[in-house]
Amino acid sequence: RNILCIVVLSFVFFFAGNGIVGLSHPDEVFYAQTAKEMLQRHDWLVPYLFNGPNFEKPIFSYWLFMIAFSTFGVNSFSARLFPSLFALVGVLAVYFLGKKAFQEEKKGLYAALILMSSLLWVGLGRTVFTDMFFTVWIELSLVSFYWGYLQPSRKTIGLVLFWLFAALGVLTKGLLGVLIPLEVAVLFLMLRKELRFLVSPGFGLGFFVFLAVALPWYVYIIEKFGSSFIQEFFYNDHLRRLLEAEHKGNDRWFFYPLSIVGLSAPWGLFAVMGILTAFQKIRQNIQPFYLFLMVWMVVVFCVFQSAHSKLVSYIFPLFPALALLCSEYVFQTVFKRNQRWMFLISALIIPVAGIIAAVLAMTVYAHLIPPQMSLKPALCFFLALTIGICALLVKTDGVLTRLAVVIFQVPVLLTFAFLNHTAFERYVSGKEAAEDLMRIDHSHTPVLCSKLYLRSTRFFTDREVVFLNVNGGGRFFSPHPVKEVRSAKDVLAVLREYPVIHGICSKKDVKALEQIAEKAFTVKVLAVVADENVVELKLSEA
């Protein structure tokens, strides 16, 4: 019954509405376009982007996207299908681990519901990234390890599955797929003074399974592309991200702590209290499971905190452990002591945050808000929701009922977002601008694009693209195999080959083009979608 409940709720949290909004730029279209080009080439082994090999990520995620595209066509719903499925698998794995390790079915259910309704889990469950796949492989690897640890009779199969899922993690995002679960398992056993647990036929057998699953693709790619793959994948996408910040504004010591609390909403307060309670239980040596969960979280946090490149999705693998600690706190402390105020504060987080964000948007960014999206109804809606939730929580009894009231915020938030999708879609997706371009220009000439719109234009038009970088400083962290235009001379070189060329450019790049055009060429804006300008560049007759 609990599993059926989780599966049904997952449809609302992860699947419903995934085809409404077009794929966003720049990252969703990055993965979708790579899988699309692989399908067009009938090549299931080498990732391609802009007709050149793409080595930013290993192969496994692209296999999933290719399977979805082959089955359901190339569209936003099929692209988001497997992230949603993996989100469901991750929730079921937390339920299973909580039930087995806590020996209490309710704790497993609470953990599943908390994880399912955490903002970051919902967001990445609906997004075409590799992070959900990577997180679930790490989660399944550690669940298998602890399942085998709990009972010696399951030790061999547990360790084999531990290595198998780690291998799939390596095929999804690289070496961290095995380093993170291995560090967690070894550190946990060291602290328990039980390293002898690894002296087992299952450990050796699992290691051979790991090599058999993870190595062949890497051997094939290195043999085929050699130093170009090693330079891009191992240096640029692994070592360089440790030493250099791709997003410099995120490189702050407090970035991840604030992200953990904020993006586990509406459970941020429970997360903090769950971690503090776990420390107390570890000191009292109550149960090894608390130590295992804390080691899991600390290893993931420390690995990514030490790197200069920081994104909220990087620490995503600690969220299953965090949900289990939240569940324990909810069950033991709130349930037994009837701390109604905890649920009350948590229930206020999303509506109040929504009101603050709406007010800021209306006062600071009012000129960007499209006329068809009025935020005043949103303010009234969130205020009414807050009052209603607070009234319910004051009157209701029972932890599960209170959980349901707090969880209810997330699908309401999703519903509101989907009802207004036509207003904000143009700000996150390049689909509308690409459609305008295709209506204006029926030729097969390349499209001149600003950095942000390069991948989405390629995905939605299937046209060759030229990277417009006349402002300078817009280089990609990883090189893209596209022609780059950096000056008036470069623009003229393109126009000599194509006397009339169209583009999708930012307002800033349009102004830069107008400044360098002089009498050599003309710049005409044909359509405007949010900050995307569909432009026509024409070589002057003179």
Side-chain angles (χ1 to χ4, degrees), residues 264-373:
S264 60
W267 311 108
L269 181 60
F270 291 97
V272 174
M273 298 304 294
I275 291 170
L276 295 176
T277 304
F279 275 119
Q280 294 176 352
K281 291 181 180 293
I282 291 168
R283 287 171 58 189
Q284 297 167 8
N285 199 23
I286 292 179
Q287 187 181 348
F289 189 49
Y290 301 106
L291 177 63
F292 177 71
L293 293 177
M294 285 305 302
V295 169
W296 181 343
M297 289 187 61
V298 167
V299 166
V300 173
F301 180 83
C302 289
V303 165
F304 293 107
Q305 180 71 8
S306 62
H308 286 284
S309 282
K310 290 180 171 65
L311 288 174
V312 292
S313 58
Y314 290 172
I315 53 162
F316 195 46
L318 63 75
F319 270 67
L322 188 65
L324 286 159
L325 292 178
C326 287
S327 167
E328 167 64 12
Y329 183 78
V330 167
F331 186 84
Q332 292 291 347
T333 309
V334 182
F335 178 72
K336 290 186 176 179
R337 299 180 188 175
N338 195 29
Q339 292 182 341
R340 202 183 302 257
W341 63 274
M342 292 284 288
F343 281 94
L344 197 63
I345 293 175
S346 291
L348 286 168
I349 289 175
I350 289 181
V352 170
I355 290 171
I356 292 172
V359 169
L360 287 174
M362 291 177 69
T363 55
V364 181
Y365 300 107
H367 63 287
L368 294 177
I369 299 172
Q372 65 265 43
M373 184 178 181

Side-chain angles (χ1 to χ4, degrees), residues 134-411:
F134 181 64
T135 292
V136 171
W137 291 137
I138 288 178
E139 178 189 2
L140 291 175
S141 181
L142 292 172
V143 167
S144 301
F145 166 79
Y146 201 79
W147 178 67
Y149 174 82
L150 283 175
Q151 191 168 334
S153 62
R154 299 190 293 248
K155 180 178 177 180
T156 298
I157 185 64
L159 289 174
V160 170
L161 289 174
F162 166 82
W163 281 109
L164 172 62
F165 292 128
L168 294 171
V170 170
L171 283 176
T172 300
K173 212 169 181 179
L175 295 176
L176 290 177
V178 65
L179 292 179
I180 289 176
L182 195 58
E183 286 177 21
V184 173
V186 170
L187 183 56
F188 168 72
L189 293 174
M190 285 177 62
L191 293 173
R192 293 285 299 171
K193 298 180 180 179
E194 295 177 357
L195 270 175
R196 62 185 181 277
F197 177 83
L198 298 179
V199 182
S200 161
F203 190 83
L205 176 61
F207 182 68
F208 282 113
V209 169
F210 169 82
L211 294 177
V213 173
L215 275 187
W217 180 79
Y218 284 94
V219 171
Y220 170 79
I221 290 294
I222 290 173
E223 191 169 319
K224 186 177 179 67
F225 294 99
S227 60
S228 61
F229 172 78
I230 294 171
Q231 170 71 18
E232 171 60 24
F233 185 77
F234 290 106
Y235 169 73
N236 199 54
D237 292 314
H238 281 73
L239 182 60
R240 189 179 164 208
R241 290 181 191 274
L242 288 173
L243 304 175
E244 182 182 336
E246 182 179 2
H247 307 278
K248 298 187 187 301
N250 296 349
D251 193 13
R252 304 288 187 271
W253 69 267
F254 52 81
F255 178 74
Y256 283 141
L258 291 181
S259 298
I260 292 169
V261 176
L263 292 171
S264 60
W267 311 108
L269 181 60
F270 291 97
V272 174
M273 298 304 294
I275 291 170
L276 295 176
T277 304
F279 275 119
Q280 294 176 352
K281 291 181 180 293
I282 291 168
R283 287 171 58 189
Q284 297 167 8
N285 199 23
I286 292 179
Q287 187 181 348
F289 189 49
Y290 301 106
L291 177 63
F292 177 71
L293 293 177
M294 285 305 302
V295 169
W296 181 343
M297 289 187 61
V298 167
V299 166
V300 173
F301 180 83
C302 289
V303 165
F304 293 107
Q305 180 71 8
S306 62
H308 286 284
S309 282
K310 290 180 171 65
L311 288 174
V312 292
S313 58
Y314 290 172
I315 53 162
F316 195 46
L318 63 75
F319 270 67
L322 188 65
L324 286 159
L325 292 178
C326 287
S327 167
E328 167 64 12
Y329 183 78
V330 167
F331 186 84
Q332 292 291 347
T333 309
V334 182
F335 178 72
K336 290 186 176 179
R337 299 180 188 175
N338 195 29
Q339 292 182 341
R340 202 183 302 257
W341 63 274
M342 292 284 288
F343 281 94
L344 197 63
I345 293 175
S346 291
L348 286 168
I349 289 175
I350 289 181
V352 170
I355 290 171
I356 292 172
V359 169
L360 287 174
M362 291 177 69
T363 55
V364 181
Y365 300 107
H367 63 287
L368 294 177
I369 299 172
Q372 65 265 43
M373 184 178 181
S374 173
L375 288 179
K376 290 180 181 178
L379 287 174
C380 298
F381 171 79
F382 279 121
L383 187 60
L385 177 63
T386 304
I387 295 170
I389 286 174
C390 292
L392 275 172
L393 288 174
V394 167
K395 293 182 179 181
T396 188
D397 288 313
V399 176
L400 197 57
T401 307
R402 294 179 201 167
L403 278 171
V405 172
V406 176
I407 288 169
F408 176 71
Q409 298 176 85
V410 178

Side-chain angles (χ1 to χ4, degrees), residues 6-21:
I6 291 170
V7 171
V8 171
L9 285 174
S10 289
F11 175 78
V12 176
F13 282 86
F14 307 134
F15 293 92
N18 272 353
I20 293 177
V21 179

